[in-house]
Amino acid sequence: MLASEITLDYGTAILAGSATVNTSCDENNGTITAAASKSISGNVLTLIVTTAGTDEGMVCAAGDSISVTAARVDANALGAGTDVLVAVGASVPAASQATNAITLISVGTLTVGNVQAAPSTDTTFKTVTYLLCDITEGSGGQLTVTVTVEEKFAAAFLSAKDESLLNGAATVTTEQDFKIRFSFTNLPIGIAIKAGPTLAGFLAATTTTAALGTLTDNLTSDFVSASGAQDVDVDVIIDDADAGTVTSSKETLTATFIFEVPDDTKLQTTEGTGVLKVALRGSTTTGEVPVFAANDQKTGDVVLLQVCDCFLLYTWLPNTGDGAFDSGLTVSNTTADPPQIGTSGQTGDVTMYFWRTDGTQPAGNPYTIATALGPGETATAVISTMLGETFLGYGIVRAEFQLCHGFAFINNPQPGTGGAFAQGYLPQIIGNPRLTAIDPTIAESTGH
């Protein structure tokens, strides 16, 4: 029995077991299958075509074809932006060259694809924010972040069953999981994370069956960030729950995660952020399912711990140093209020920053007005005493609690300088732009 060979050299390693061979030729009880007539070695896929005149030969007439589909190659070795080229060759026995249609093949190099320069998915989410003064211990303080992962090309999300069917297997005997990994790094200390109950499956256009398998967080319980342990991976496993149909439509995975503070005494008291990375990964074992290289995408802060604070602008605070002019001020912590309002009491330090009329600052900036000023308490300060030097300019108070209010008082007790007088005014409340950009209702409006 005479045989011809067709060789396809892809220029990079071909995944063992991949590629499906089809033909419209009359096979005469013969076959062109992965088992009987296809072999893969390194970069080369070889087809063995037997000649006519035997029980297992083939007869190809004009218009018939032999095709190879779903050959999976190592795109990472080629590099982003590189074309996938196939060099086609043929070897026909001399006795068959006069009648074998394979001699009509135009041998050359074909471009069959391009390695994408960008990652295979787009990831979006909105940062969630904890105000330290509003932390509620336990589930009452839960925050939810929704992460959306969308394919950049069709069939980027394939289950093990999909992969086996692409490889021409009649049945699926061994399945290897494919996953999308959500990596949370540098989480604020004391923050717990777990998978949300609304974690959805793929929204495939052609099927109503979710292609999402089990969710594991690599832990036996919720992960709680602690000193030296602020990173965790959560793997969404794609199993064989779908029908194995590959469609041309892009799919989207929507995953929800819940953050909470199980013990507010262990929460980090300074501002902090957690970074989310998403990786599209394949099985860690070899076989017919391709093993994707990690494709981590740094997407930004996922949790923001924000210190509660309030700012007051005192527009003019003269202290001439000769007894003619001096200024005093008050700062009140009004987080204590009637029960009908019901504000939670907050406690924090009060500091003040000064700027002279020429734009310079005193060497002692910032100055402490009060430490741990509690709900309902008021702190007072006199500029001459606080600075110990002459001053003409303005100042900004930072209170580490919300709902701060104050009063400024300018005094001239010397009749000989033009007459004794006193003047008072209310400082302006300045909103923290970092807070109000996240939630405009967090801080009071400017003014009173």
Side-chain angles (χ1 to χ4, degrees):
M1 179 173 61
L2 300 177
S4 299
E5 290 185 356
I6 302 173
T7 57
L8 306 176
D9 187 340
Y10 286 80
T12 185
I14 307 169
L15 186 72
S18 71
T20 300
V21 183
N22 297 288
T23 181
S24 60
C25 295
D26 181 358
E27 298 184 41
N28 286 355
N29 298 322
T31 57
I32 293 185
T33 64
S37 61
K38 179 193 73 174
S39 64
I40 294 175
S41 177
N43 301 349
V44 179
L45 183 153
T46 302
L47 302 177
I48 307 297
V49 182
T50 57
T51 60
T54 69
D55 289 340
E56 295 185 356
M58 292 176 56
V59 176
C60 295
D64 286 340
S65 65
I66 300 172
S67 65
V68 177
T69 60
R72 309 304 296 269
V73 301
D74 187 355
N76 296 306
L78 290 175
T82 305
D83 287 334
V84 182
L85 303 176
V86 179
V88 182
S91 173
V92 181
S96 302
Q97 289 179 3
T99 59
N100 197 323
I102 202 171
T103 58
L104 301 178
I105 288 180
S106 175
V107 179
T109 301
L110 308 175
T111 301
V112 297
N114 181 269
V115 182
Q116 291 194 128
S120 55
T121 56
D122 279 323
T123 305
T124 58
F125 69 95
K126 184 178 180 180
T127 302
V128 294
T129 302
Y130 267 119
L131 287 176
L132 290 178
C133 56
D134 289 341
I135 290 293
T136 303
E137 190 174 293
S139 60
Q142 287 184 347
L143 294 175
T144 300
V145 60
T146 299
V147 183
T148 300
V149 185
E150 182 184 59
E151 295 174 323
K152 283 189 176 179
F153 60 91
F157 303 156
L158 292 175
S159 71
K161 186 173 183 179
D162 287 327
E163 295 292 353
S164 295
L165 292 176
L166 275 179
N167 297 333
T171 58
V172 179
T173 55
T174 302
E175 302 208 352
Q176 300 172 15
D177 291 328
F178 174 75
K179 61 193 173 188
I180 296 178
R181 170 166 289 181
F182 298 89
S183 299
F184 298 90
T185 63
N186 194 34
L187 287 173
I189 293 174
I191 292 286
I193 180 175
K194 59 184 177 182
T198 59
L199 188 66
F202 289 140
L203 307 177
T206 59
T207 177
T208 57
T209 304
L212 182 68
T214 19
L215 174 81
T216 59
D217 60 1
N218 305 332
L219 300 161
T220 56
S221 60
D222 296 344
F223 173 77
V224 181
S225 181
S227 178
Q230 294 177 257
D231 303 339
V232 67
D233 292 332
V234 181
D235 292 333
V236 175
I237 306 299
I238 305 167
D239 61 11
D240 63 335
D242 66 346
T245 302
V246 180
T247 71
S248 60
S249 60
K250 294 182 179 180
E251 295 176 329
T252 300
L253 171 68
T254 301
T256 55
F257 298 94
I258 292 176
F259 298 90
E260 64 182 24
V261 178
D263 184 352
D264 59 8
T265 64
K266 297 181 180 180
L267 183 68
Q268 181 175 296
T269 56
T270 57
E271 296 172 313
T273 59
V275 176
L276 169 64
K277 295 182 180 180
V278 177
L280 185 66
R281 296 171 181 265
S283 170
T284 56
T285 59
T286 58
E288 293 193 347
V289 178
V291 181
F292 289 93
N295 143 3
D296 292 3
Q297 302 172 42
K298 184 175 181 179
T299 55
D301 296 331
V302 64
V303 177
L304 175 64
L305 282 185
Q306 177 63 58
V307 174
C308 295
D309 49 21
C310 180
F311 296 89
L312 298 174
L313 168 62
Y314 293 80
T315 55
W316 187 243
L317 296 169
N319 168 38
T320 59
D322 57 3
F325 289 93
D326 201 355
S327 302
L329 58 91
T330 69
V331 179
S332 297
N333 181 344
T334 69
T335 60
D337 50 30
Q340 290 81 0
I341 298 177
T343 302
S344 298
Q346 303 167 21
T347 299
D349 297 345
V350 179
T351 54
M352 191 164 190
Y353 299 77
F354 293 90
W355 285 266
R356 300 186 183 92
T357 54
D358 62 1
T360 61
Q361 292 182 282
N365 255 9
Y367 291 81
T368 299
I369 294 177
T371 301
L373 190 68
E377 297 179 348
T378 297
T380 62
V382 177
I383 301 303
S384 59
T385 302
M386 189 188 317
L387 298 183
E389 62 181 75
T390 60
F391 180 81
L392 294 174
Y394 70 93
I396 295 179
V397 161
R398 181 202 178 192
E400 294 180 358
F401 46 81
Q402 295 177 299
L403 307 182
C404 64
H405 291 271
F407 182 73
F409 185 80
I410 302 172
N411 184 32
N412 175 7
Q414 300 293 328
T417 61
F421 71 92
Q423 175 68 50
Y425 64 89
L426 299 176
Q428 287 185 301
I429 298 173
I430 305 174
N432 184 339
R434 183 165 55 176
L435 287 178
T436 53
I438 298 169
D439 183 354
T441 66
I442 286 177
E444 291 184 285
S445 61
T446 300
H448 288 75

